[in-house]
Amino acid sequence: MKGLQDLLQQAQQVQERLRAAQEQLARSEVQGESGGGLVRVTMPGRHDVRRLHIEPSLLREDHEVIEGLVAAAVNDAVRRVEAMQRERLGDLAGGLGLPAGFPLPG
């Protein structure tokens, strides 16, 4: 019975560490960009766009160009958030002895 109690206690600790890591990710921000920095998107770990900056000189361009650069900057920010999540949650998974690529919730 002691082994089961130890296992349950370890699972609870893992859950607490995972929750703390997810909260930290939600507060962390990344910046995606496109057009050599003409368009910049700031996004927290929850994938919400917090800020969008479009260089004023770009506003003279055709709207399709601007739309494409905004989409590219958002996609860049999403990839950066996902990389940050893999890095931080991967460190947690590595400490648990889980196999590489094991999906963690969040």
Side-chain angles (χ1 to χ4, degrees):
M1 216 36 155
K2 176 105 169 101
L4 180 60
Q5 287 176 341
D6 290 345
L7 185 61
L8 290 173
Q9 184 178 19
Q10 183 181 7
Q12 184 178 8
Q13 291 171 351
V14 167
Q15 188 175 22
E16 290 172 9
R17 286 189 298 212
L18 179 59
R19 185 179 39 78
Q22 289 171 331
E23 288 173 4
Q24 182 185 22
L25 282 169
R27 290 188 305 269
S28 299
E29 290 185 340
V30 300
Q31 185 169 308
E33 63 177 52
S34 66
L38 293 174
V39 176
R40 295 187 303 273
V41 171
T42 303
M43 181 179 288
R46 293 188 190 261
H47 293 92
D48 301 321
V49 174
R50 191 160 285 158
R51 283 187 293 284
L52 169 66
H53 171 79
I54 300 174
E55 194 64 38
S57 63
L58 186 60
L59 297 176
R60 292 188 291 269
E61 294 294 327
D62 183 58
H63 78 280
E64 291 174 351
V65 171
I66 297 170
E67 289 172 352
L69 289 171
V70 169
V74 169
N75 290 336
D76 183 46
V78 167
R79 284 190 293 275
R80 290 173 188 251
V81 166
E82 290 171 352
M84 179 178 62
Q85 289 174 340
R86 277 191 307 275
E87 177 184 319
R88 293 193 184 164
L89 295 178
D91 290 346
L92 179 61
L96 302 174
L98 296 174
F102 187 84
L104 290 173

